[in-house]
């Protein structure tokens, strides 16, 4: 499997940017940064990036001039500084994106596919996640949730202001628990209908209002598989820009073992032995079953269990 995401380092977790939040209030300075030769931008369209096609592969980090020439919207979102140079996020409308189809020098490329295939430097993925989350947030939240008036972007793209009722709107992050449940020498994995054939992964679900992480883990496991669990432990988190979640990786110990699958949520869920899980992670299972890709935190939850880490 991909060596780009060694154990404990899934996609989107390498923070190479200085977010430089103190600059978000300085519009004049941000505008001046856009004109500097070392300034770069990521251009987002839905789940894809605008890229330049080069001999070494797709290049997602563009100059502002390149981004605008390829049809990006003029508005920029300040992501932060990398080695002292400004990095921005930009969006592109559907008509401009369609004009990129078939171009030999540039085009749209799906983010997840590029990352999984190692076509993007892992140390750029965190910044790309910020760009994708914020661009999508602006596209989805152009009107005030309080009074319905069109809002305007401020603070370098990290806020929207309502000119009518003066409400302030900030980007949201949705917490999701994702957990590996074990019972001795076996682990519980499930699959959704949209998964690739034969792929199984850790169960997951959104944290509900006024719910602790531990309660969310226990509830989601019980709802989706009928398994009761205890001893919930935190492992690590992974930003997940689809559109803007935070995956909270946990482990739990089962106190029951009879699986009852919620078929409205999952296609299947069952126990796998340590030996089976090892073959799945290596893509060597005799039945063609596979575990999650190293791109995702689920892979790392399973991997550390296979290595005997608690």
């Amino acid at each position: 499997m991909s060596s780009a995401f060694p154990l404990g380092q899934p996609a989107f977790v390498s923070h190479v940017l200085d977010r430089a939040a103190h600059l978000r209030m300085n519009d004049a300075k941000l505008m001046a940064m856009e004109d500097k030769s070392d300034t770069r931008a990521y251009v987002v369209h839905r789940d894809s990036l605008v890229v330049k096609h080069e001999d070494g592969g797709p290049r997602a980090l563009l100059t502002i001039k390149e981004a605008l020439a390829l049809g990006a919207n003029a508005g920029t979102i300040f992501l932060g500084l990398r080695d002292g140079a400004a990095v921005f996020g930009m969006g592109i409308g559907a008509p401009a994106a369609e004009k990129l189809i078939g171009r030999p020098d540039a085009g749209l490329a799906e983010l997840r596919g590029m990352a999984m295939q190692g076509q993007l430097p892992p140390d750029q993925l965190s910044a790309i996640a910020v760009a994708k989350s914020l661009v999508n947030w602006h596209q989805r939240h152009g009107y005030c949730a309080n009074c319905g008036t069109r809002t305007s972007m401020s603070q370098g793209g990290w806020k929207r202001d309502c000119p009518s009722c003066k409400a302030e709107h900030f980007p949201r992050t949705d917490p999701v628990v994702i957990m590996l449940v074990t019972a001795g020498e076996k682990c519980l994995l499930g699959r959704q209908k949209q998964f690739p054939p034969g792929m199984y992964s850790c169960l997951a679900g959104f944290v509900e209002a006024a719910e602790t992480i531990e309660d969310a883990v226990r509830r989601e496991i019980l709802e989706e598989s009928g398994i009761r669990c205890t001893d919930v432990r935190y492992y690590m988190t992974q930003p997940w820009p689809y559109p803007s979640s935070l995956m909270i990786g946990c482990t739990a110990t089962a106190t029951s073992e009879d699986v009852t699958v919620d078929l409205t949520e999952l296609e299947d869920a069952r126990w796998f032995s340590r030996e089976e899980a090892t073959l799945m992670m290596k893509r060597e299972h005799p039945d063609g079953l596979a575990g999650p890709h190293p791109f995702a935190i689920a892979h790392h939850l399973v991997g550390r269990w296979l290595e005997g880490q608690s």
Side-chain angles (χ1 to χ4, degrees):
M1 290 301 294
S2 171
S3 61
F5 307 106
L7 193 61
Q9 298 179 44
F12 308 122
V13 302
S14 298
H15 297 285
V16 297
L17 284 185
D18 171 6
R19 298 202 176 201
H22 63 285
L23 295 176
R24 296 173 187 171
M25 304 292 290
N26 193 329
D27 291 341
K29 193 158 190 175
L30 293 180
M31 291 180 65
M33 285 181 173
E34 292 184 21
D35 294 329
K36 292 187 175 181
S37 61
D38 58 355
T39 293
R40 296 293 184 268
Y42 296 105
V43 181
V44 177
H45 179 66
R46 297 176 183 168
D47 289 338
S48 297
L49 298 173
V50 175
V51 299
K52 292 282 289 184
H53 297 314
E54 298 180 340
D55 292 340
R59 174 170 58 86
L61 196 55
L62 310 176
T63 66
I64 297 291
K65 184 176 180 180
E66 287 175 327
L68 293 174
L70 291 171
N73 300 327
T76 58
I77 299 166
F78 178 62
L79 307 181
L81 303 174
R82 178 166 182 167
D83 298 326
V87 182
F88 290 90
M90 302 174 74
I92 185 171
E98 290 175 3
K99 292 180 180 179
L100 296 175
I101 298 174
R103 280 186 58 160
D105 62 324
L108 287 174
E110 198 263 335
L111 168 59
R112 189 186 312 224
M114 283 195 294
M116 292 174 69
Q117 295 165 25
Q119 295 179 325
L120 291 170
D123 65 359
Q124 290 189 27
L125 293 178
S126 177
I128 291 172
V130 181
K132 184 180 182 306
S133 293
L134 288 179
V135 168
N136 287 347
W137 176 70
H138 284 290
Q139 292 173 343
R140 293 165 178 251
H141 297 83
Y143 294 86
C144 179
N146 188 49
C147 72
T149 302
R150 180 75 182 180
T151 56
S152 60
M153 190 171 71
S154 64
Q155 293 189 11
W158 289 86
K159 180 184 174 187
R160 294 193 71 90
D161 294 321
C162 177
S164 179
C165 71
K166 308 304 179 184
E168 300 175 317
H169 303 278
F170 298 90
R172 60 180 289 170
T173 296
D174 299 313
V176 177
V177 288
I178 181 165
M179 44 274 170
L180 181 68
V181 181
T182 59
E185 292 298 297
K186 57 188 178 182
C187 65
L188 180 70
L189 301 175
R191 63 170 282 108
Q192 298 178 0
K193 292 181 180 179
Q194 67 266 30
F195 282 6
M199 176 186 159
Y200 280 76
S201 187
C202 298
L203 304 192
F206 286 97
V207 180
E208 294 186 345
E211 185 175 43
T212 67
I213 292 172
E214 294 85 355
D215 284 343
V217 168
R218 289 187 285 263
R219 175 184 54 78
E220 284 289 344
I221 291 295
L222 181 62
E223 289 177 356
E224 294 188 353
S225 68
I227 298 295
R228 296 185 180 277
C229 61
T230 187
D231 192 25
V232 176
R233 299 187 182 186
Y234 167 80
Y235 168 44
M236 70 175 296
T237 55
Q238 178 189 28
W240 192 248
Y242 295 96
S244 190
S245 295
L246 180 67
M247 308 299 290
I248 305 169
C250 297
T251 61
T253 302
T255 59
S256 63
E257 297 187 15
D258 293 332
V259 177
T260 303
V261 181
D262 179 359
L263 295 176
T264 63
E265 294 285 340
L266 300 174
E267 185 177 79
D268 186 30
R270 63 184 179 91
W271 294 103
F272 291 90
S273 68
R274 188 179 293 270
E275 292 73 22
E276 268 194 296
T278 298
L279 293 173
M280 291 166 68
M281 296 289 274
K282 293 180 177 179
R283 302 299 196 265
E284 296 176 359
H285 194 283
D287 296 331
L289 303 182
H293 190 278
F295 173 83
I297 191 174
H299 173 97
H300 302 262
L301 283 164
V302 178
R304 70 194 296 267
W305 175 70
L306 293 176
E307 289 198 353
Q309 301 180 43
S310 60

